[in-house]
Amino acid sequence: MPAATSSSPGADAQFFAHFDGLEAQDPTVRESRLMAALPQQVAHARASTDAFRELLASIDPARINSRAALATLPVLRKADLAHRQHAARDQQPPDPFGGLSAIGWSGLRRSLGARRVFQSPGPIYEPQGWGRDGWRMARALHAAGVRSGELVHNSFSYHLTPAGAMMECGAEALGCTVFPGGVGNTELQLQAMVDLQPQAYVGTPSFLKILVDRAQQQGLSLPLRKALVSGEAFPPSLRDWLIERGVAAFQCYATADLGLIAYETQAREGLVLDESVIVEIVRPGTGDPVAEGEVGELVVTTLTSDYPLIRFGTGDLSALLPGRCPSGRTNTRIRGWMGRADQSAKVRGMFVHASQVAEVLKRFPEVVRGRLVIEGEMAQDRMTLQVEVDGEGPEGLPQRLAEALRDVTKLRGEVVLLPLNGLPNDGKVIEDLRRYE
């Protein structure tokens, strides 16, 4: 494979073209559009699914027309989704979607049928509707330079999980031909690439590296010049390694439940949000939005009618980036995946969760941020609650915080007061510093 002729292959007109006019619209117009659609989606979710009929029973959908109003609704986290799905399998008739899907099949009391159903680890089940690009992946593929008429080699799994179908639907919506490679069978997939000469690859970045490596070892010429990768971390070192070998690979952030959330552009400055999601960054363990730039949990509301998730907590950490993308896209950007938000630790035989730390902190309005630090050795754990306060704080604050910590966690811990911005901006609420040899 020839070396790239520049540090950013593919940095031509096709990469700068937008998928549609939505990507360059005035941000205030976009926000008005999303907030106008929000109460309709809340009403639809409540009317079409048993779970949201219960969760939003006391809510007037017409009043959920702003981000502030949205923040008053409960967060549905992955663990809640799994619990609801597992519990509903024993009901009559059983509902593998836990009352969260507006579509299904005969016997699920749904008026609309699903096209496919998938199983993710857990197991958690996800429905696919009949829309042309229900996961909205075409937008991310387009930003990666994929165009109509091209052949896309799809190395995401087609077995059980929806990743392969997600990418295939997006590529088909663009007018592409798809080779369904799936996972594994490296030599067969490499032979298919040599024979079929695809212009683009979609799959994990690690498998792309394996394919490129193997091709070089065997002296094979691969036609790949562009790729959309996801499903795992995509470090700059691997990005640059691929660029040196002529492949411009871009990443996207998507989940089986939500579809596309954000995608990378040729600017390579964060990930731009999809046009059909409302994203909030909240303090881990809570539903409270954080300030712009602060690391927190990604909470997403989709505008998809088939699977209308409202304030779905992804369990992933990220942060909003200020300003606009140099690519000309005007939507909000996030920094990308920054770790997991569903933090917990076992201390002296008892689990401590981020939600418990949040419960302690919300009792003290003078506390800005906090984190529980766990140190020590096996059977000699020490907990220290570090909190940011403006100034010295009221008299007796450390003692009252320590009492609240014991009340909530049933464990003793020390309290240390820090000045504002005394904690790192990394989204950690529980930091486990223990080392077990």
Side-chain angles (χ1 to χ4, degrees):
M1 180 178 295
T5 57
S6 74
S7 62
S8 182
D12 52 32
Q14 70 168 339
F15 278 78
F16 287 87
H18 293 164
F19 179 71
D20 57 24
L22 294 177
E23 293 186 350
Q25 70 182 166
D26 187 304
T28 59
V29 174
R30 176 183 293 109
E31 186 71 1
S32 295
R33 172 177 59 84
L34 293 175
M35 292 305 107
L38 178 58
Q40 300 175 39
Q41 182 72 336
V42 172
H44 168 70
R46 203 173 70 161
S48 305
T49 71
D50 295 338
F52 282 112
R53 187 175 299 114
E54 170 196 334
L55 290 169
L56 307 178
S58 62
I59 300 299
D60 176 5
R63 300 186 63 180
I64 310 302
N65 58 2
S66 67
R67 290 183 181 269
L70 179 62
T72 66
L73 302 184
V75 173
L76 176 74
R77 291 192 162 84
K78 195 86 168 183
D80 301 322
L81 185 153
H83 175 76
R84 284 182 172 274
Q85 287 200 1
H86 294 171
R89 288 168 202 163
D90 295 328
Q91 71 182 31
Q92 292 300 325
D95 184 351
F97 300 123
L100 288 157
S101 175
I103 57 175
W105 52 83
S106 177
L108 284 186
R109 297 174 296 174
R110 304 290 190 273
S111 59
L112 297 174
R115 181 179 179 182
R116 297 188 183 98
V117 60
F118 297 95
Q119 182 195 79
S120 294
I124 292 176
Y125 296 100
E126 301 97 10
Q128 178 189 357
W130 289 90
R132 183 164 175 259
D133 183 21
W135 284 288
R136 310 174 308 282
M137 296 304 305
R139 188 177 300 279
L141 286 161
H142 187 274
V146 181
R147 293 295 182 267
S148 177
E150 295 181 331
L151 174 61
V152 175
H153 187 106
N154 186 1
S155 283
F156 276 115
S157 175
Y158 279 78
H159 178 63
L160 293 177
T161 62
M166 292 170 72
M167 289 296 183
E168 179 166 303
C169 288
E172 288 178 345
L174 280 180
C176 297
T177 301
V178 177
F179 176 78
V183 297
N185 300 303
T186 304
E187 292 300 329
L188 287 176
Q189 294 209 46
L190 188 59
Q191 185 62 51
M193 283 187 168
V194 172
D195 293 342
L196 299 175
Q197 297 285 293
Q199 285 89 359
Y201 164 95
V202 295
T204 62
S206 60
F207 190 60
L208 176 57
K209 183 180 187 301
I210 289 172
L211 290 169
V212 173
D213 257 336
R214 194 71 58 89
Q216 288 186 318
Q217 293 167 9
Q218 298 180 17
L220 301 174
S221 176
L222 293 184
L224 293 177
R225 292 295 176 267
K226 62 190 81 169
L228 179 65
V229 299
S230 191
E232 59 190 26
F234 185 42
S237 58
L238 179 53
R239 177 199 66 200
D240 295 342
W241 185 90
L242 290 167
I243 286 174
E244 290 170 1
R245 287 153 182 82
V247 183
F250 296 82
Q251 62 183 313
C252 71
Y253 173 46
T255 74
D257 320 276
L258 299 161
L260 180 66
I261 299 171
Y263 59 96
E264 191 174 23
T265 74
Q266 84 284 347
R268 297 197 187 277
E269 294 186 12
L271 306 182
V272 177
L273 296 184
D274 178 53
E275 297 292 335
S276 296
V277 295
I278 299 171
V279 170
E280 305 167 88
I281 307 290
V282 308
R283 198 170 308 285
T286 78
D288 304 330
V290 300
E292 182 180 277
E294 186 174 340
V295 177
E297 181 185 6
L298 272 160
V299 171
V300 182
T301 296
T302 69
L303 300 180
T304 303
S305 60
D306 295 333
Y307 200 32
L309 295 177
I310 308 294
R311 294 205 90 197
F312 184 75
T314 63
D316 292 326
L317 292 173
S318 193
L320 300 180
L321 284 175
R324 296 185 182 182
C325 181
S327 70
R329 294 170 176 85
T330 58
N331 207 346
T332 304
R333 295 173 299 159
I334 59 174
R335 288 175 60 182
W337 186 82
M338 300 177 66
R340 292 293 295 170
D342 46 358
Q343 304 157 26
S344 64
K346 201 169 189 179
V347 181
R348 300 170 215 155
M350 298 182 65
F351 276 105
V352 180
H353 301 279
S355 59
Q356 292 176 297
V357 178
E359 184 178 345
V360 172
L361 298 180
K362 74 179 182 181
R363 298 183 182 185
F364 301 88
E366 54 268 65
V367 172
V368 179
R369 287 196 302 163
R371 103 169 31 186
L372 187 67
V373 179
I374 306 167
E375 301 172 282
E377 300 175 356
M378 186 79 72
Q380 296 181 349
D381 305 316
R382 300 190 307 276
M383 296 197 320
T384 303
L385 182 61
Q386 301 178 348
V387 298
E388 292 181 6
V389 294
D390 190 358
E392 297 181 359
E395 186 177 352
L397 178 60
Q399 292 77 14
R400 290 188 290 117
L401 277 163
E403 291 170 2
L405 180 63
R406 183 180 181 186
D407 178 50
V408 172
T409 67
K410 312 305 177 189
L411 296 164
R412 295 181 182 274
E414 302 296 321
V415 173
V416 173
L417 302 185
L418 299 175
L420 295 179
N421 301 315
L423 291 171
N425 180 24
D426 55 13
K428 288 185 180 179
V429 175
I430 297 177
E431 184 174 20
D432 193 343
L433 298 179
R434 295 171 294 185
R435 294 291 182 268
Y436 300 112
E437 301 296 338

